[in-house]
Amino acid sequence: MAQSPAVSPGVTLDLSGVSCPGPIIGAKKIVMELAEGEVLLLISDCPATMDELHTWAERTGNQVVKTERLTSGATGYYVRRGRRPELEPQVSLDMRGSVCPGPILEAKKVLGGMASGEILRLVSNCPGARADVEGWARVTGCKLEDVVEFGSHDWEFYIRKA
């Protein structure tokens, strides 16, 4: 694995003293809340963490970008949030600049022409978009697979057609 000296974690989770699968479960909870590209520093002294973390990261589209031995004897694992490979959208719809309910109305039109199971990537910067899209997805039966916030009120919604 290539080491990257310029990795800066946004969140640190110290699970020293916790045996596996605890560190993996903790890392998963934190990483799934991070925006794509953000980094978690997981600190663990469980010997099984290395293999389990690499397996989990590979399976979920995340990446262990750096490991380092710490003075405490534990290991620091830098985990970068990636996009799950199964969330590659078939259609992308960029609605930045459009206010609600515009993004939802356009998403509804686009989804109408898509096959069941396909994914729409909807991009919006409307301040109310997150709550509106989440509620709309629940009501329509579409599955909101992921939400990536890449700025203040800038979101990517990954919506799977029912």
Side-chain angles (χ1 to χ4, degrees):
M1 174 178 57
Q3 296 292 312
S4 174
V7 177
S8 177
V11 178
T12 299
L13 178 63
D14 187 346
L15 291 177
S16 298
V18 177
S19 60
C20 285
I24 308 308
I25 293 168
K28 177 183 177 188
K29 287 180 182 178
I30 300 295
V31 168
M32 298 320 284
E33 293 177 6
L34 297 176
E36 184 178 336
E38 287 188 313
V39 176
L40 162 72
L41 169 57
L42 171 65
I43 300 172
S44 175
D45 56 5
C46 176
T49 297
M50 180 173 284
D51 290 338
E52 290 185 16
L53 186 64
H54 281 276
T55 300
W56 169 79
E58 190 174 298
R59 193 178 70 243
T60 59
N62 297 298
Q63 182 182 14
V64 179
V65 293
K66 179 181 175 182
T67 60
E68 65 182 356
R69 193 68 148 157
L70 305 175
T71 57
S72 65
T75 302
Y77 301 92
Y78 294 79
V79 183
R80 179 173 287 130
R81 166 78 190 264
R83 181 174 301 143
R84 296 185 339 216
E86 70 271 17
L87 290 184
E88 286 303 316
Q90 282 69 45
V91 178
S92 287
L93 177 61
D94 190 336
M95 293 299 296
R96 286 179 282 197
S98 176
V99 297
C100 292
I104 292 173
L105 295 174
E106 290 301 314
K108 182 179 177 182
K109 289 178 192 174
V110 171
L111 283 165
M114 294 173 64
S116 181
E118 288 187 326
I119 295 175
L120 168 66
R121 175 182 161 261
L122 171 63
V123 181
S124 177
N125 62 354
C126 175
R130 182 159 190 164
D132 288 353
V133 171
E134 288 173 351
W136 171 76
R138 273 192 307 275
V139 170
T140 62
C142 290
K143 184 170 183 190
L144 187 56
E145 294 283 358
D146 199 5
V147 178
V148 176
E149 185 171 5
F150 57 92
S152 180
H153 300 295
D154 286 319
W155 293 282
E156 290 181 342
F157 301 96
Y158 292 83
I159 306 164
R160 187 178 303 275
K161 183 176 179 178

